[in-house]
């Protein structure tokens, strides 16, 4: 069965960190809408030009644009055996569109990574990313601004939307526009929640256990 995973949670919950590792372990692509948009901004494409100001204010890019990006991306051949979605869907409209795209495919597995707000603020204000390849320095990385990227040797900087006022707006947007999705997904038998306030290694172990429990639940259901 193909794994079609949504990692769901607020900014700073660790979606990107866990998605990268899971995708590597399972040999499926990590599809991060934030990364796709940042690449578009850097490349100066028409979508990037429109998204730049919206992202720097912490608001959401339009549903229409985001749905178009995902529709095209999950149809690519590397996603035929599954994918990990990081940052999509973020609104009920996006989630409904994704359900339509999934007709005829194995079901979505939705895992919430739950983290209290004070910890989110701490993580985002300390996060360092590479200005060349975009890699996020690990949770245990000692390097501050001016440090060096462990992947490509580029310079570590603060992400442009990780400044205090933008972080607060992103959290506010999450509560108003994205959190209602919990209600949309919570009743599904393929929904799980994990405690994201633990070490990255513990979160990863809990995620694997959650995915396995969905898989075994579906196998039992299929046998009945
Ligand atoms: P996006 O890039 O998706 O940002 P986000 O959702 O705000 O999520 P983050 O990347 O900030 O956090 P994360 O959960 O991935 O945490 P991470 O693993 O990095 O989106 C950016 C913007 O693009 C949006 O604001 C919007 O404008 C636009 N956009 C994107 N998708 C969209 C959509 N679908 N619709 C409309 N607009 C869209 O970890 C954070 C930090 O914590 C790191 O430093 C990490 O090392 C550390 N960390 C991770 N795990 C742990 C742990 N267990 N313990 C301690 N530290 C940890």
């Amino acid at each position: 069965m193909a794994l079609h995973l949504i990692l769901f949670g607020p900014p700073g919950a660790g979606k990107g960190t866990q998605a990268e590792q899971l995708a590597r372990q399972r040999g499926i692509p990590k599809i991060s809408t934030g990364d796709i948009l940042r690449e578009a901004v850097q490349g100066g494409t028409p979508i990037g030009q429109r998204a730049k100001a919206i992202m720097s204010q912490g608001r959401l890019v339009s549903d229409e644009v985001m749905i178009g990006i995902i529709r095209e991306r999950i149809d690519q051949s590397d996603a035929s055996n599954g994918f990990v979605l990081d940052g999509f869907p973020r609104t009920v409209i996006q989630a409904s569109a994704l359900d339509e795209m999934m007709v005829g495919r194995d079901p979505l597995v939705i895992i919430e990574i739950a983290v209290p707000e004070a910890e989110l603020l701490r993580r985002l204000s300390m996060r360092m990313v590479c200005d060349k390849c975009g890699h996020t320095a690990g949770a245990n990385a000692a390097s501050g601004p001016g440090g060096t990227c462990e992947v490509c040797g580029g310079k570590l900087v603060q992400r442009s939307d990780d400044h205090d006022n933008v972080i607060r707006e992103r959290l506010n947007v999450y509560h108003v526009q994205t959190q209602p999705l919990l209600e949309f997904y919570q009743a599904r038998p393929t929904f799980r929640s994990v405690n994201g306030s633990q070490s990255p290694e513990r979160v990863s172990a809990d995620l694997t256990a959650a995915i396995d429990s969905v898989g075994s639940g579906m196998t039992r259901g299929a046998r009945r």
Side-chain angles (χ1 to χ4, degrees), residues 12 14-17 33 38 59 87 90 94 127 170 198:
K15 304 181 296 295
T17 302
T33 41
R38 279 184 288 277
R59 294 184 291 121
R90 261 175 146 99
Q94 292 180 14
R127 172 167 55 189
R170 286 162 59 206
Q198 316 171 80

Side-chain angles (χ1 to χ4, degrees), residues 62-128:
S62 77
D63 287 331
E64 193 193 347
V65 167
M66 299 317 301
I67 290 166
I69 288 175
I70 288 298
R71 195 186 302 283
E72 212 172 279
R73 183 63 188 87
I74 67 173
D75 270 345
Q76 288 174 19
S77 59
D78 67 334
S80 61
N81 290 324
F83 49 74
V84 184
L85 284 176
D86 159 22
F88 186 95
R90 261 175 146 99
T91 63
V92 172
I93 291 175
Q94 292 180 14
S96 304
L98 181 61
D99 277 347
E100 279 169 29
M101 292 177 221
M102 296 305 294
V103 172
R105 305 186 203 223
D106 286 327
L108 290 166
V109 175
I110 306 107
I111 304 194
E112 176 198 21
I113 305 181
V115 177
E117 188 144 325
E119 172 66 3
L120 299 173
L121 287 164
R122 188 193 70 80
R123 288 185 191 176
L124 292 173
S125 57
M126 288 178 59
R127 172 167 55 189
M128 288 292 136

Side-chain angles (χ1 to χ4, degrees), residues 5-64:
L5 180 67
I6 296 176
L7 288 184
F8 180 85
K15 304 181 296 295
T17 302
Q18 297 296 334
E20 194 171 319
Q21 193 178 329
L22 260 168
R24 205 176 36 240
Q25 283 167 352
R26 305 213 172 212
I28 54 178
K30 163 195 167 187
I31 302 181
S32 157
T33 41
D35 287 350
I36 292 171
L37 289 170
R38 279 184 288 277
E39 272 165 32
V41 169
Q42 209 161 23
T45 68
I47 286 180
Q49 284 172 19
R50 272 180 284 151
K52 189 175 179 181
I54 298 172
M55 292 172 79
S56 67
Q57 291 163 18
R59 294 184 291 121
L60 295 186
V61 174
S62 77
D63 287 331
E64 193 193 347

